[in-house]
Amino acid sequence: MAIAALGVTVLDCPNPRALAEFYGAVLDWRVSDGEFGDGESWVELHGPDGRRLAFQKSEGYQPPRWPGTEHGQQFHLDFDVPRDRLDEAERQVLALGARLLQGDGNGKRGWRVYADPAGHPFCLCAV
């Protein structure tokens, strides 16, 4: 029997609403202040099957420096994209404010690494 169930994954950032809107556009999830949010220090995304992703304001936030370890990423999000839509998905996340950190080696790897507008690394993974 499990000790607990995974609830919400929370990302620290300087502007929770802006980062929630970025990921909301990527995932097509609904942005909400959440049960405990005030829209400024805590904002949530609500997806299918009760999945949630939250964003918490962190004063003095320092973004990870990928791939270095001085300000390590600690964790990252992987997003599955159909292989034939990978280029289109890249154009869309870049237009939303992401920046490319590492390409897929001209198709040699099945993923590409980006930084979200707050600097968190995430991957678009071909499936």
Side-chain angles (χ1 to χ4, degrees):
M1 171 183 250
I3 294 172
L6 181 62
V8 62
T9 299
V10 183
L11 280 76
D12 287 351
C13 60
N15 185 332
R17 170 103 20 223
L19 200 55
E21 289 173 358
F22 170 82
Y23 281 110
V26 170
L27 295 167
D28 194 25
W29 288 11
R30 181 177 57 87
V31 176
S32 163
D33 289 346
E35 185 177 345
F36 304 107
D38 60 10
E40 187 174 321
S41 61
W42 179 277
V43 179
E44 293 182 6
L45 287 182
H46 293 263
D49 303 320
R51 289 182 282 175
R52 293 182 301 151
L53 187 59
F55 307 90
Q56 174 177 269
K57 185 169 187 146
S58 174
E59 298 296 336
Y61 170 78
Q62 292 292 315
R65 293 192 187 134
W66 187 91
T69 57
E70 184 178 323
H71 292 278
Q73 64 178 327
Q74 298 180 3
F75 78 97
H76 71 271
L77 300 170
D78 284 348
F79 298 105
D80 293 341
V81 177
R83 186 172 299 281
D84 63 345
R85 289 198 57 243
L86 194 57
D87 290 337
E88 176 187 350
E90 177 174 276
R91 284 190 295 275
Q92 290 174 315
V93 298
L94 293 175
L96 290 168
R99 63 189 162 85
L100 181 66
L101 296 177
Q102 183 180 49
D104 60 6
N106 293 319
K108 292 178 183 167
R109 287 188 314 279
W111 70 91
R112 299 173 186 171
V113 184
Y114 305 84
D116 69 23
H120 302 101
F122 70 93
C123 296
L124 294 182
C125 302
V127 294

